Amino acid sequence: ALIFTIVQLPDSIEVARPELLLLLVIYWSLSAPRSAGLTFAWLCGLAVDLLAGPILGQHALAFLLVAFLTHKFQLRMRIFPIWHQTLTVFMLLALYEFLVFWIDGIIGPAITTWMRWVPVFTGALIWPLLNNKFLQQDRIGVKMLLPIELRYLLNRETGEFFREARLDKQNL
């Protein structure tokens, strides 16, 4: 996700580049809040600052705030239906973009066009693919998120196996 953040994309799709690293921070804050906590989010934001940010600490602060809110509401968010969780992630991405926009405005001229907010929409559209609930869909998530060799093994498993394998139902 960090490499995707710094790789140059064609101009036509550059404006729609989602914040994949932030989506992964949100995902890990929901799935494993003890192992991927606020320090992880701050380090990811600092890495973005070091590689692509105009000022050191801008993205680190925004990542930290989004991870804090995700961590604070993670028990609620984990039981939301997928559409509600996607809407919540959309609001977290909008908060991140607003914080970066605000800091940009303080340090210099900020980008004020509507295209600044396109990554918020693309990130919200990508969120269901990263979510554990997507893996519960019959044959969709398995094909997209796992290597082809494992697909045949998983097709032989029963529904009980998938219910037991859910991260949100385990005592981590």
Side-chain angles (χ1 to χ4, degrees), residues 43-57:
L43 289 173
C44 288
L46 191 62
V48 171
D49 284 332
L50 290 173
L51 294 173
I55 185 170
L56 191 62

PDB file of all heavy atoms in Angstrom, residues 43-57:
ATOM      1  N   LEU A  43       3.233   5.612  12.468  1.00  0.00           N
ATOM      2  CA  LEU A  43       4.388   5.243  11.648  1.00  0.00           C
ATOM      3  C   LEU A  43       4.028   5.194  10.163  1.00  0.00           C
ATOM      4  O   LEU A  43       4.819   5.611   9.310  1.00  0.00           O
ATOM      5  CB  LEU A  43       4.959   3.904  12.107  1.00  0.00           C
ATOM      6  CG  LEU A  43       5.683   3.916  13.444  1.00  0.00           C
ATOM      7  CD1 LEU A  43       6.056   2.509  13.872  1.00  0.00           C
ATOM      8  CD2 LEU A  43       6.908   4.815  13.391  1.00  0.00           C
ATOM      9  N   CYS A  44       2.842   4.698   9.854  1.00  0.00           N
ATOM     10  CA  CYS A  44       2.396   4.682   8.446  1.00  0.00           C
ATOM     11  C   CYS A  44       2.243   6.103   7.917  1.00  0.00           C
ATOM     12  O   CYS A  44       2.665   6.407   6.797  1.00  0.00           O
ATOM     13  CB  CYS A  44       1.080   3.922   8.311  1.00  0.00           C
ATOM     14  SG  CYS A  44       1.236   2.152   8.509  1.00  0.00           S
ATOM     15  N   GLY A  45       1.644   6.989   8.714  1.00  0.00           N
ATOM     16  CA  GLY A  45       1.505   8.381   8.299  1.00  0.00           C
ATOM     17  C   GLY A  45       2.850   9.066   8.163  1.00  0.00           C
ATOM     18  O   GLY A  45       3.076   9.864   7.249  1.00  0.00           O
ATOM     19  N   LEU A  46       3.774   8.754   9.055  1.00  0.00           N
ATOM     20  CA  LEU A  46       5.118   9.327   8.979  1.00  0.00           C
ATOM     21  C   LEU A  46       5.841   8.837   7.732  1.00  0.00           C
ATOM     22  O   LEU A  46       6.557   9.606   7.084  1.00  0.00           O
ATOM     23  CB  LEU A  46       5.902   8.969  10.236  1.00  0.00           C
ATOM     24  CG  LEU A  46       7.215   9.700  10.443  1.00  0.00           C
ATOM     25  CD1 LEU A  46       6.963  11.201  10.569  1.00  0.00           C
ATOM     26  CD2 LEU A  46       7.917   9.176  11.679  1.00  0.00           C
ATOM     27  N   ALA A  47       5.635   7.575   7.364  1.00  0.00           N
ATOM     28  CA  ALA A  47       6.229   7.047   6.134  1.00  0.00           C
ATOM     29  C   ALA A  47       5.690   7.788   4.911  1.00  0.00           C
ATOM     30  O   ALA A  47       6.448   8.120   3.987  1.00  0.00           O
ATOM     31  CB  ALA A  47       5.964   5.554   6.018  1.00  0.00           C
ATOM     32  N   VAL A  48       4.393   8.071   4.896  1.00  0.00           N
ATOM     33  CA  VAL A  48       3.814   8.842   3.789  1.00  0.00           C
ATOM     34  C   VAL A  48       4.409  10.253   3.768  1.00  0.00           C
ATOM     35  O   VAL A  48       4.734  10.785   2.706  1.00  0.00           O
ATOM     36  CB  VAL A  48       2.272   8.884   3.890  1.00  0.00           C
ATOM     37  CG1 VAL A  48       1.676   9.850   2.881  1.00  0.00           C
ATOM     38  CG2 VAL A  48       1.690   7.503   3.701  1.00  0.00           C
ATOM     39  N   ASP A  49       4.582  10.847   4.950  1.00  0.00           N
ATOM     40  CA  ASP A  49       5.185  12.174   5.021  1.00  0.00           C
ATOM     41  C   ASP A  49       6.610  12.170   4.488  1.00  0.00           C
ATOM     42  O   ASP A  49       7.014  13.086   3.759  1.00  0.00           O
ATOM     43  CB  ASP A  49       5.192  12.694   6.460  1.00  0.00           C
ATOM     44  CG  ASP A  49       3.835  13.171   6.914  1.00  0.00           C
ATOM     45  OD1 ASP A  49       3.051  13.597   6.046  1.00  0.00           O
ATOM     46  OD2 ASP A  49       3.560  13.104   8.120  1.00  0.00           O
ATOM     47  N   LEU A  50       7.372  11.174   4.851  1.00  0.00           N
ATOM     48  CA  LEU A  50       8.760  11.112   4.411  1.00  0.00           C
ATOM     49  C   LEU A  50       8.879  10.885   2.915  1.00  0.00           C
ATOM     50  O   LEU A  50       9.800  11.409   2.272  1.00  0.00           O
ATOM     51  CB  LEU A  50       9.508  10.007   5.160  1.00  0.00           C
ATOM     52  CG  LEU A  50       9.764  10.261   6.639  1.00  0.00           C
ATOM     53  CD1 LEU A  50      10.345   9.018   7.291  1.00  0.00           C
ATOM     54  CD2 LEU A  50      10.690  11.453   6.822  1.00  0.00           C
ATOM     55  N   LEU A  51       7.957  10.128   2.344  1.00  0.00           N
ATOM     56  CA  LEU A  51       8.044   9.801   0.924  1.00  0.00           C
ATOM     57  C   LEU A  51       7.326  10.790   0.018  1.00  0.00           C
ATOM     58  O   LEU A  51       7.757  11.003  -1.113  1.00  0.00           O
ATOM     59  CB  LEU A  51       7.493   8.394   0.684  1.00  0.00           C
ATOM     60  CG  LEU A  51       8.307   7.272   1.320  1.00  0.00           C
ATOM     61  CD1 LEU A  51       7.573   5.948   1.168  1.00  0.00           C
ATOM     62  CD2 LEU A  51       9.678   7.196   0.697  1.00  0.00           C
ATOM     63  N   ALA A  52       6.237  11.383   0.474  1.00  0.00           N
ATOM     64  CA  ALA A  52       5.438  12.201  -0.438  1.00  0.00           C
ATOM     65  C   ALA A  52       4.871  13.472   0.169  1.00  0.00           C
ATOM     66  O   ALA A  52       4.262  14.253  -0.549  1.00  0.00           O
ATOM     67  CB  ALA A  52       4.289  11.363  -0.997  1.00  0.00           C
ATOM     68  N   GLY A  53       5.028  13.676   1.452  1.00  0.00           N
ATOM     69  CA  GLY A  53       4.371  14.809   2.093  1.00  0.00           C
ATOM     70  C   GLY A  53       5.165  16.095   2.001  1.00  0.00           C
ATOM     71  O   GLY A  53       6.394  16.087   1.992  1.00  0.00           O
ATOM     72  N   PRO A  54       4.466  17.208   1.942  1.00  0.00           N
ATOM     73  CA  PRO A  54       5.154  18.501   1.881  1.00  0.00           C
ATOM     74  C   PRO A  54       5.691  18.957   3.236  1.00  0.00           C
ATOM     75  O   PRO A  54       6.634  19.724   3.301  1.00  0.00           O
ATOM     76  CB  PRO A  54       4.075  19.460   1.378  1.00  0.00           C
ATOM     77  CG  PRO A  54       2.791  18.835   1.818  1.00  0.00           C
ATOM     78  CD  PRO A  54       3.029  17.351   1.800  1.00  0.00           C
ATOM     79  N   ILE A  55       5.103  18.456   4.315  1.00  0.00           N
ATOM     80  CA  ILE A  55       5.536  18.844   5.651  1.00  0.00           C
ATOM     81  C   ILE A  55       5.531  17.601   6.542  1.00  0.00           C
ATOM     82  O   ILE A  55       4.638  16.760   6.456  1.00  0.00           O
ATOM     83  CB  ILE A  55       4.629  19.957   6.232  1.00  0.00           C
ATOM     84  CG1 ILE A  55       5.155  20.433   7.571  1.00  0.00           C
ATOM     85  CG2 ILE A  55       3.213  19.501   6.343  1.00  0.00           C
ATOM     86  CD1 ILE A  55       4.452  21.673   8.088  1.00  0.00           C
ATOM     87  N   LEU A  56       6.540  17.481   7.368  1.00  0.00           N
ATOM     88  CA  LEU A  56       6.675  16.301   8.222  1.00  0.00           C
ATOM     89  C   LEU A  56       5.634  16.337   9.343  1.00  0.00           C
ATOM     90  O   LEU A  56       5.545  17.311  10.078  1.00  0.00           O
ATOM     91  CB  LEU A  56       8.087  16.255   8.811  1.00  0.00           C
ATOM     92  CG  LEU A  56       8.481  14.967   9.508  1.00  0.00           C
ATOM     93  CD1 LEU A  56       8.461  13.815   8.518  1.00  0.00           C
ATOM     94  CD2 LEU A  56       9.856  15.107  10.126  1.00  0.00           C
ATOM     95  N   GLY A  57       4.848  15.286   9.436  1.00  0.00           N
ATOM     96  CA  GLY A  57       3.852  15.160  10.487  1.00  0.00           C
ATOM     97  C   GLY A  57       2.429  15.403  10.037  1.00  0.00           C
ATOM     98  O   GLY A  57       1.492  15.117  10.788  1.00  0.00           O
TER      99      GLY A  57
END
